[in-house]
Amino acid sequence: MSAEFEAFIGLEVHCQLATESKIFCSCPTMSGRGISVSALPVNALVCEVCSGQPGALPTLNSQAVRFAIRSGLALGSEIQQSSIFSRKNYFYPDLPKGYQISQNETAICLGGFVEIEREDGSMKKVALRRIHLEEDAGKSVHEFGVTLVNLNRSGVPLVEIVGEPELRTPEEAGNYLRELHAIVTAIGVTDGNMQEGNFRCDANVSVRPKGSSVLGTRVEIKNVNSFRFVEKAIAFEIQRQIAVLASGKAVIQETRLYDSQRDHTVSMRIKEEAEDYRYFPDPDLLPLKFPVAWVQEERDRLPELPAQKRSRYQTDFGLSRADSRQMSASQAISEIFEATVSLLKGLPGGAKWVANLLSGEVSRLLQESELSLTQSPLKAQHLADLGALALSGELSSTATKKILHEVWRTGESVGALVERLGLRQQNDASELEPLVETILKEQPQATEELRSGKLKVLGFLVGMVMKRSAGRGNPELIRSLIERTLDLKKDA
Ligand code: ADP
Ligand code: MG
Ligand code: ZN
């Protein structure tokens, strides 16, 4: 980074809770239905409460409270028996009430931590300040030269998970976010779809001269919604601030936006003084108190957490640390991974094979298609069928990839695709022998060179036979057939 400066990073993560209805009214949220809110008709999911009509009264959604409690328990927070909803007052076109209902400091969960792996492999606990409940705002849409407002998202329940500024590098921040995402999706409180903004992050970054005892002035980078972009935005911002300080100037406290196309941050607004939102307790909502039993009930609903899952994958399936991390990165991936492994019924090499495919080709397909794993037509049965054929040598790696792509497109069964595309690997010696003989006749020169001990041409001849078999011949079998035909083993 720099010999003279050091960076501090604190993240505020907004996580959309997967309740059926909004936090203060009964409008649906479309969570967990694989429907993109942005694809729904504009302002289709609104009522007098979430569109901020005068006199409309909010009623708190108990499921949102339970999800917040569950989040706090998974993250080691202290659950508060009493907390307060306040009005955070500001004007914005997508906020028709003129205030957002948020818990701010008197939150339902205080403290807690996220444990991350440092670059040297050691573990680090990053403290949380609080987890609070709040409502989402609507969305301004800039189109046709005007700004329009879509309130479908207005009133959708969020928890904001506020971390202490204890992260020191962009990579640590990325790992913190990945771990947090893995936890909140594992416990089922959010769909966690980052493209849809279900899990988005404001990154606070400051830099100070090494040895200084106070933190530097922080800059807040707003709403970054991909792990990689958060890392890149922070990396850019650290360098920018170091350059400012190194030139003898001061960093200004401001909000900046990250432009991923140009890989830099640009100023959005300068905070001349701390914003004054004039928080005050919302008179429409009583202080939040819930039945004590809810805490134990939510504790009982906690599933295996990602950290436990990782160690189980290592001991039970022999996965590497890196693979076990990838396979527990989200609920969706660990579900399809485990379902496939169980369908493969202990086939040797099965778990490792599935992990490779999921973290390699499948993750590429996911990125390209912008689909989530649950939305894609790929199911555990497809993977298990592919794995069984690939591991027994009936499918070459090229053919496996081809079929995977077809499954992704059509959802067809692997068996049907192998037949339709004629990709089953040719393992039958009696069918390959005639091809070997033909090629050896067609290539007298190479054949002669091979006979006289030039083993280099063997690969060439195997390739020719492969080609003649339309890519389906098993290369190892072809190799041994050629050797046998020419009696090479005996001469050697
Ligand atoms: P506000 O209430 O104005 O949003 P907070 O002090 O509550 O400010 O901090 C909000 C977020 O900013 C937290 O995640 C915290 O970790 C982070 N943060 C605060 N000060 C710094 C700093 N000097 N450098 C980096 N991050 C900071
Ligand atoms: Mg803030
Ligand atoms: Zn509503």
Side-chain angles (χ1 to χ4, degrees):
M1 179 180 305
S2 154
E4 291 160 67
F5 296 98
E6 55 185 359
F8 289 83
I9 303 145
L11 303 185
E12 297 165 281
V13 172
H14 285 96
C15 172
Q16 178 176 331
L17 297 174
T19 55
E20 284 187 14
S21 52
K22 293 186 178 179
I23 185 166
F24 297 121
C25 62
S26 54
C27 292
T29 60
M30 295 297 156
S31 290
R33 303 202 201 164
I35 301 170
S36 160
V37 173
S38 44
L40 290 169
V42 168
N43 292 321
L45 311 176
V46 291
C47 70
E48 64 278 13
V49 175
C50 57
S51 64
Q53 304 301 308
L57 282 174
T59 320
L60 181 58
N61 180 337
S62 62
Q63 189 56 50
V65 176
R66 282 180 172 273
F67 280 162
I69 296 172
R70 199 186 302 173
S71 307
L73 291 171
L75 292 163
S77 311
E78 279 181 32
I79 313 301
Q80 306 301 301
Q81 256 306 298
S82 176
S83 55
I84 292 171
F85 284 103
S86 292
R87 292 187 178 180
K88 178 181 182 179
N89 300 283
Y90 63 95
F91 172 79
Y92 208 73
D94 64 20
L95 190 75
K97 294 199 296 295
Y99 60 87
Q100 179 194 20
I101 304 178
S102 171
Q103 289 199 307
N104 202 30
E105 266 133 47
T106 49
I108 185 164
C109 307
L110 297 181
F113 61 90
V114 175
E115 193 165 29
I116 57 163
E117 205 174 305
R118 286 200 192 84
E119 276 144 84
D120 65 5
S122 64
M123 301 306 285
K124 166 174 176 172
K125 277 188 180 177
V126 180
L128 298 179
R129 190 169 292 177
R130 65 171 184 270
I131 304 172
H132 68 251
L133 275 162
E134 62 184 31
E135 58 177 344
D136 208 344
K139 197 175 175 183
S140 296
V141 187
H142 310 281
E143 245 175 64
F144 318 118
V146 289
T147 296
L148 301 164
V149 175
N150 182 353
L151 295 178
N152 283 346
R153 234 179 50 191
S154 169
V156 162
L158 306 175
V159 277
E160 181 174 344
I161 303 166
V162 184
E164 294 291 349
E166 296 180 350
L167 297 158
R168 307 302 303 275
T169 63
E171 293 72 30
E172 280 189 12
N175 289 341
Y176 169 96
L177 276 184
R178 286 185 190 93
E179 183 66 12
L180 193 53
H181 185 262
I183 293 171
V184 289
T185 58
I187 64 176
V189 301
T190 182
D191 294 351
N193 184 332
M194 297 181 72
Q195 277 107 1
E196 295 286 331
N198 293 171
F199 185 92
R200 51 190 200 261
C201 154
D202 299 338
N204 299 275
V205 180
S206 68
V207 159
R208 72 178 185 195
K210 269 193 187 151
S212 163
S213 59
V214 288
L215 293 182
T217 304
R218 76 183 155 107
V219 161
E220 183 175 16
I221 310 167
K222 271 285 173 203
N223 274 338
V224 198
N225 65 353
S226 110
F227 299 128
R228 206 166 47 90
F229 288 159
V230 169
E231 291 180 357
K232 294 183 85 169
I234 293 171
F236 174 86
E237 188 54 28
I238 291 174
Q239 292 312 322
R240 190 190 68 83
Q241 291 184 23
I242 288 177
V244 169
L245 294 181
S247 73
K249 290 189 225 131
V251 171
I252 327 171
Q253 182 169 355
E254 61 181 341
T255 302
R256 298 178 72 90
L257 284 179
Y258 177 65
D259 177 346
S260 59
Q261 303 261 298
R262 299 172 64 185
D263 188 25
H264 68 182
T265 62
V266 287
S267 183
M268 186 169 107
R269 58 170 183 260
I270 294 182
K271 294 193 177 177
E272 308 240 334
E273 284 163 51
E275 285 149 336
D276 189 355
Y277 293 114
R278 307 196 117 227
Y279 282 98
F280 64 86
D282 191 317
D284 289 341
L285 290 157
L286 288 169
L288 168 55
K289 296 199 170 74
F290 50 83
V292 194
W294 285 13
V295 175
Q296 191 53 44
E297 284 165 23
E298 290 308 315
R299 202 188 301 279
D300 293 341
R301 289 195 175 117
L302 283 181
E304 184 184 38
L305 295 176
Q308 300 162 300
K309 219 173 248 173
R310 286 196 291 271
S311 64
R312 180 164 62 85
Y313 288 175
Q314 289 173 47
T315 40
D316 289 9
F317 304 139
L319 291 193
S320 67
R321 273 166 85 92
D323 280 344
S324 65
R325 186 169 288 283
Q326 298 244 31
M327 291 307 102
S328 57
S330 74
Q331 190 58 16
I333 200 160
S334 68
E335 267 172 21
I336 197 166
F337 169 71
E338 290 195 34
T340 311
V341 171
S342 116
L343 286 168
L344 284 171
K345 297 194 177 67
L347 184 69
K352 176 77 193 148
W353 183 90
V354 185
N356 278 346
L357 198 74
L358 284 172
S359 57
E361 200 56 27
V362 173
S363 110
R364 257 192 297 284
L365 284 167
L366 279 170
Q367 273 168 18
E368 280 167 21
S369 65
E370 296 201 348
L371 283 180
S372 73
L373 205 44
T374 34
Q375 293 165 327
S376 92
L378 181 69
K379 302 288 171 257
Q381 190 64 54
H382 292 124
L383 290 174
D385 292 346
L386 267 181
L389 291 171
L391 287 163
S392 69
E394 282 168 81
L395 282 181
S396 68
S397 58
T398 331
T400 305
K401 203 161 135 182
K402 233 183 213 166
I403 293 176
L404 177 66
H405 284 230
E406 265 319 275
V407 169
W408 195 264
R409 222 170 49 79
T410 66
E412 246 177 289
S413 80
V414 170
L417 282 169
V418 171
E419 295 317 318
R420 180 158 75 73
L421 304 174
L423 286 171
R424 194 179 290 275
Q425 187 153 272
Q426 191 63 262
N427 286 318
D428 188 341
S430 66
E431 284 183 37
L432 288 171
E433 266 161 359
L435 298 185
V436 168
E437 273 163 32
T438 315
I439 294 295
L440 292 181
K441 271 198 205 107
E442 286 176 13
Q443 302 287 343
Q445 198 186 333
T447 305
E448 214 29 64
E449 283 176 13
L450 186 57
R451 259 191 225 286
S452 64
K454 260 202 181 169
L455 290 175
K456 268 199 289 191
V457 291
L458 181 56
F460 164 76
L461 289 168
V462 171
M464 295 303 291
V465 179
M466 282 283 286
K467 217 164 163 189
R468 194 59 57 89
S469 74
R472 294 167 51 220
N474 177 339
E476 262 151 53
L477 181 57
I478 296 173
R479 180 183 302 266
S480 70
L481 288 174
I482 295 176
E483 287 171 344
R484 209 169 66 203
T485 312
L486 299 182
D487 246 1
L488 291 181
K489 283 277 154 69
K490 219 192 280 168
D491 295 349

